[in-house]
Amino acid sequence: MAENLSEITIAIVVTTATANTPLNISAIHQVDTAELSHHLTTTLLSIPEVPPLLTHIIPSMANDTDKLEDHLLVPYLEPYVDVDFTVGELKKTSLESSASSVVSAAGVSSGGLEYGDDISFLANAVENEIQVPKIVAAGKGMALYMPPVFRKVIELSGKERPNILYIGTASFDKEENFNKHSKKFLSKGCSVPSYEEMRRLVVEWSDVLVCSGGNTLFALLRWKETGLDLLIKEAATNGTVLCGGSAGAGCWFTSMHSDSLRPDNVKHSDVVKNEMDDEDLTDWDYVKISGLGIIPTPGNIMAVPHFDRIGSNDISRSEHAAEMVACNSDVPAAIGIDNNAALVVEGDKAMVVSGDGEATVHIVSKDEDTNEISTTPLNRTDEPIPIEELMDIANPATAEHLDALEDHVETNFAVAEDLLPRVRANSIASSAADGHVAGDDCDDGEEQPTIKIVAAGRMKALQLPPVFEKVIELSGKDQPRIAYIGTASFDRTDKFNICTKAFRSLECEIIRLDVSEPETVPSMEEMRRLVVDWADVLLCSGGNTLHALLRWKETGLDLLLKEAAEKGKVMCGGSAGAGCWFNSIHSDSLRPDNMKNSEYVQNELDDNELTDWDYVKISGLGILPAMAVPHFDATGTNDVARSSHAEQVLVDEQDGMPAIGIDENAAFVVEGDRAMVVSGDGEATCHVVVADGKTGETVTASLTPANAPMLLEDMVAMHGINNIECEK
């Protein structure tokens, strides 16, 4: 992005009423539309006439002699608190209408995958088809100019030097507010347009609309009176970035938590503050008012800017908003935006941007069964996720086993213990047959099993080039087809974004298989076509391993994964997505916040509750005969090191099974009956841990990353651990 922004063009639209001027839309249309028609191919005639909302004269906000009358604005505004300012849904490309073109473009049909009318697996493939709206809603006006938020505005515009249109209605078009907003975009001067140019500026010229903070109700009334609300909607439909803080943030939502009736929320606020005593200045209430309804939220979601602040009435924004959600059946939830944070909307997806690294956005929601109100802070992410998913952040997953997950620790999930012995037997037979290659001595038509596994210490390790490149190499294709299985992370899109980022940068075809919730599980035949026939790589997320294994067992996906492994598909993942391939896993599945609604749990439980948990050893699918210990070089939130606890497990079990510890930035790679270590950062590695049955002690040997795989027995022997029985 260009650092020198002096070439950005910026303009303002002035909409505030002058002294003694009735707010009458019909007069504006009759006079101004004719003049516009001389200069533009489109005119204001396309805008429906809006009946006048105000039959009185708003007290002057232009003449100094009338400054003392500013406080009269509040009683005039009060009758309009319930006015509906929504402008209707934007016309945007839907998933359904885009499905056929996306499937064709992605070449999915050529791979033999046909899902009929169900395109749920393809939702991620059409995300770029949805272009509108683009919104940056900041908690306060000046948060827009904190570097992370400001950069996002420029990025969304798609230009290094976008045209900026400033709409200062909420701040009564005060020059000092314009100067504050424009200085980041423009270092000197600006062109002030005439009113006749409003449509051309808003709809055709601008790349970014910047709306000031201030009196939201006043701004929305003026926009409705002048027809600017419909022009803003049209601009949003064209992909113009809509941004602002405070009033300029809340106006895009269906409804907004507002201080518009605050006595000093007027143009000449300093004069009003000087004339009124403290009791009068603090005697006011927040109100819920309608917004433009441009952001596609599920239901009437109320925006709450300044969420982390207390008003001059000494009432917390967050607490009052929670009361509104509790008491108003028409407000199912609210989105609270801290002063120094912004909610960024792209189409039907959204993300949080923090201006200072700490401020964030919160979801205020009501439990339908208990009517209890909860506030959940959102994690900052690098990519947007569906708004509906954001709003669902506090709700737990529905799987019944989550109510008593500890009851399933002893469940046997092994379905593929015979796979590696068969691979080894085939390898030995091939080596013994002089001049033959693997499979020559087998009956015609018998497909010989093989194994390709990349088990990383954590999800993000799969984005490290050495690890990511090894997955690509094993697939045998430059752009392998990826089936993403996010069950362990409860099919959350933010985890999908993390796991698939490197593959998406390579433009690989990726299809999600969501089985965490019963209603998203496809038929067995559909899963088979995806997992066994179509995919080159099966990518499993990190998260709650025990939940994933239970869901796979319930749906039959575990058997399909075994079948895919036999066919030589690359089985990969980090953390839970690494350990699931082993005979057993050292797991944090009972960690209280290792759930779908982890942010909610973290906010509701105290430190003692969050840290009071133990690791458990659980069964895996059984392909590799060892206990996997991902995050080997990390310490859990229970303040217990993974490595030391895993050693104690081996001592207690004394079953002769070794452990493979995988550092967070490393990967354990298996190809056939051979293994190797890949370091993602040049330092992280893997470790072999065995228990001495005689002494009761453990021995740990760090493995050296290598360029070629070797037999596991040879790898272990090179590090001084002898007589290790890797398979009972």
Side-chain angles (χ1 to χ4, degrees):
M1 185 187 75
E3 295 297 327
N4 181 10
L5 298 172
S6 61
E7 295 181 23
I8 288 179
T9 307
I10 185 166
I12 63 173
V13 165
V14 179
T15 57
T16 304
T18 56
N20 302 320
T21 303
L23 301 181
N24 192 317
I25 187 67
S26 59
I28 293 173
H29 278 186
Q30 288 171 6
V31 174
D32 296 341
T33 313
E35 288 191 26
L36 279 175
S37 65
H38 294 301
H39 306 287
L40 304 174
T41 56
T42 54
T43 74
L44 284 173
L45 291 175
S46 61
I47 302 176
E49 185 171 306
V50 182
L53 293 174
L54 306 181
T55 58
H56 57 270
I57 308 300
I58 283 190
S60 169
M61 287 159 284
N63 298 332
D64 290 344
T65 56
D66 293 318
K67 287 180 181 178
L68 297 182
E69 297 182 19
D70 271 356
H71 67 281
L72 298 178
L73 179 63
V74 171
Y76 280 122
L77 288 178
E78 284 180 322
Y80 302 100
V81 167
D82 293 325
V83 172
D84 184 0
F85 296 106
T86 56
V87 291
E89 295 183 2
L90 303 185
K91 292 181 179 180
K92 61 183 180 181
T93 305
S94 67
L95 296 182
E96 287 79 5
S97 62
S98 300
S100 58
S101 61
V102 172
V103 171
S104 176
V108 175
S109 59
S110 64
L113 185 67
E114 297 178 358
Y115 287 100
D117 294 331
D118 182 8
I119 61 165
S120 58
F121 294 132
L122 302 177
N124 59 288
V126 299
E127 59 185 354
N128 293 327
E129 293 293 314
I130 299 176
Q131 299 296 325
V132 296
K134 300 176 184 176
I135 292 174
V136 179
K140 66 175 182 179
M142 298 317 294
L144 278 178
Y145 309 110
M146 292 181 160
V149 183
F150 177 72
R151 284 195 295 267
K152 197 66 186 178
V153 173
I154 301 300
E155 175 191 324
L156 286 179
S157 75
K159 298 183 178 181
E160 290 187 355
R161 295 181 175 85
N163 295 332
I164 310 297
L165 183 60
Y166 173 75
I167 303 175
T169 319
S171 57
F172 306 93
D173 297 324
K174 290 197 287 189
E175 183 177 354
E176 60 264 33
N177 283 55
F178 169 73
N179 290 337
K180 288 179 182 178
H181 279 275
S182 63
K183 68 178 182 179
K184 183 72 176 181
F185 293 103
L186 189 63
S187 62
K188 49 186 176 180
C190 67
S191 172
V192 180
S194 65
Y195 176 80
E196 290 80 4
E197 294 179 303
M198 185 165 68
R199 187 180 193 284
R200 181 181 65 82
L201 285 170
V202 173
V203 178
E204 300 174 15
W205 176 82
S206 61
D207 301 305
V208 176
L209 297 183
V210 180
C211 292
S212 71
N215 195 307
T216 322
L217 185 53
F218 172 77
L220 289 164
L221 284 166
R222 287 298 298 148
W223 294 352
K224 193 174 184 75
E225 282 283 316
T226 60
L228 181 55
D229 55 348
L230 297 177
L231 295 182
I232 290 174
K233 174 187 177 181
E234 189 174 349
T237 304
N238 292 341
T240 300
V241 180
L242 312 179
C243 67
S246 187
C251 61
W252 317 120
F253 288 77
T254 306
S255 63
M256 177 185 176
H257 185 267
S258 173
D259 63 354
S260 290
L261 301 186
R262 199 181 77 231
D264 59 332
N265 197 354
V266 292
K267 181 176 183 180
H268 300 292
S269 57
D270 291 340
V271 176
V272 174
K273 289 177 181 177
N274 190 53
E275 291 297 317
M276 301 180 73
D277 59 30
D278 289 345
E279 184 176 351
D280 290 333
L281 286 171
T282 58
D283 184 19
W284 60 274
D285 291 320
Y286 297 111
V287 290
K288 179 182 75 72
I289 63 175
S290 166
L292 295 177
I294 292 177
I295 294 180
T297 56
N300 183 14
I301 306 302
M302 180 176 66
V304 190
H306 308 288
F307 191 75
D308 53 346
R309 292 295 183 266
I310 296 175
S312 61
N313 57 2
D314 204 29
I315 298 176
S316 162
R317 283 267 194 169
S318 57
E319 292 177 3
H320 191 272
E323 291 177 6
M324 280 191 169
V325 173
C327 300
N328 288 271
S329 58
D330 65 329
V331 182
I335 295 179
I337 308 173
D338 288 346
N339 257 18
N340 291 339
L343 181 74
V344 178
V345 176
E346 296 181 66
D348 59 356
K349 297 184 178 182
M351 62 184 288
V352 177
V353 175
S354 178
D356 59 12
E358 296 182 1
T360 188
V361 174
H362 312 257
I363 302 298
V364 182
S365 57
K366 179 166 51 180
D367 188 293
E368 295 180 357
D369 297 324
T370 65
N371 287 327
E372 292 184 359
I373 302 299
S374 62
T375 299
T376 305
L378 298 178
N379 290 332
R380 298 181 294 277
T381 57
D382 294 331
E383 299 180 70
I385 69 172
I387 294 175
E388 288 195 15
E389 197 170 314
L390 272 183
M391 299 309 303
D392 194 48
I393 197 72
N395 295 326
T398 62
E400 293 182 1
H401 59 247
L402 293 172
D403 294 332
L405 201 55
E406 62 275 8
D407 294 345
H408 302 276
V409 168
E410 301 298 330
T411 301
N412 183 9
F413 298 106
V415 294
E417 291 177 302
D418 63 324
L419 189 53
L420 184 59
R422 288 163 55 202
V423 170
R424 283 176 171 168
N426 183 58
S427 177
I428 293 172
S430 297
S431 299
D434 185 31
H436 289 71
V437 295
D440 274 1
D441 297 332
C442 303
D443 295 337
D444 290 341
E446 182 180 349
E447 188 171 7
Q448 295 305 303
T450 185
I451 298 175
K452 297 176 183 177
I453 293 175
V454 179
R458 60 173 180 162
M459 282 196 295
K460 290 185 177 179
L462 283 167
Q463 311 309 312
L464 299 173
V467 180
F468 165 69
E469 290 166 3
K470 178 55 70 172
V471 175
I472 301 298
E473 176 191 324
L474 288 179
S475 76
K477 297 183 178 180
D478 293 335
Q479 293 176 305
R481 294 184 292 198
I482 313 294
Y484 171 79
I485 303 173
T487 321
S489 57
F490 302 91
D491 297 326
R492 286 179 46 154
T493 300
D494 55 344
K495 308 304 181 185
F496 166 83
N497 290 339
I498 292 172
C499 287
T500 61
K501 186 175 182 179
F503 297 100
R504 285 182 286 125
S505 68
L506 198 61
E507 298 183 353
C508 295
E509 295 176 45
I510 304 174
I511 295 180
R512 291 174 60 162
L513 176 57
D514 294 344
V515 300
S516 184
E517 298 290 338
E519 61 269 18
T520 64
V521 180
S523 69
M524 181 64 75
E525 186 55 36
E526 287 174 321
M527 288 196 294
R528 178 183 298 278
R529 288 202 303 267
L530 176 64
V531 172
V532 179
D533 298 334
W534 181 82
D536 302 306
V537 174
L538 298 178
L539 173 59
C540 295
S541 72
N544 194 308
T545 322
L546 186 52
H547 166 68
L549 288 164
L550 283 165
R551 287 300 296 151
W552 295 351
K553 191 178 186 73
E554 291 165 3
T555 60
L557 181 56
D558 56 347
L559 298 176
L560 296 180
L561 291 173
K562 174 188 177 181
E563 193 174 343
E566 279 186 300
K567 293 188 66 174
K569 309 289 185 177
V570 182
M571 322 297 283
C572 69
S575 189
C580 61
W581 316 119
F582 287 73
N583 180 273
S584 60
I585 311 123
H586 184 266
S587 173
D588 63 354
S589 290
L590 301 186
R591 198 181 76 230
D593 60 333
N594 196 353
M595 292 289 166
K596 171 181 174 287
N597 57 342
S598 58
E599 293 89 346
Y600 167 81
V601 175
Q602 291 165 4
N603 195 57
E604 291 293 311
L605 299 183
D606 60 31
D607 289 343
N608 289 333
E609 292 171 312
L610 286 171
T611 58
D612 185 19
W613 60 274
D614 292 318
Y615 296 110
V616 289
K617 176 187 175 184
I618 63 176
S619 164
L621 295 178
I623 298 176
L624 300 178
M627 179 178 74
V629 190
H631 308 282
F632 190 75
D633 54 345
T635 298
T637 58
N638 58 1
D639 204 30
V640 177
R642 284 269 194 167
S643 56
S644 60
H645 190 273
E647 291 171 354
Q648 187 59 49
V649 169
L650 291 182
V651 171
D652 294 341
E653 295 282 339
Q654 290 293 334
D655 60 0
M657 189 73 69
I660 301 295
I662 310 171
D663 288 346
E664 290 203 324
N665 288 340
F668 189 71
V669 178
V670 176
E671 190 174 2
D673 59 347
R674 297 172 177 267
M676 63 181 293
V677 176
V678 174
S679 177
D681 59 11
E683 297 181 0
T685 188
C686 295
H687 315 262
V688 175
V689 186
V690 295
D692 189 315
K694 296 180 180 179
T695 65
E697 297 180 350
T698 58
V699 180
T700 300
S702 297
L703 303 176
T704 303
N707 294 323
M710 62 179 67
L711 290 172
L712 179 60
E713 290 85 347
D714 294 340
M715 179 185 290
V716 172
M718 288 178 61
H719 293 81
I721 301 179
N722 298 311
N723 301 319
I724 295 177
E725 186 177 3
C726 290
E727 187 175 9
K728 295 286 288 181

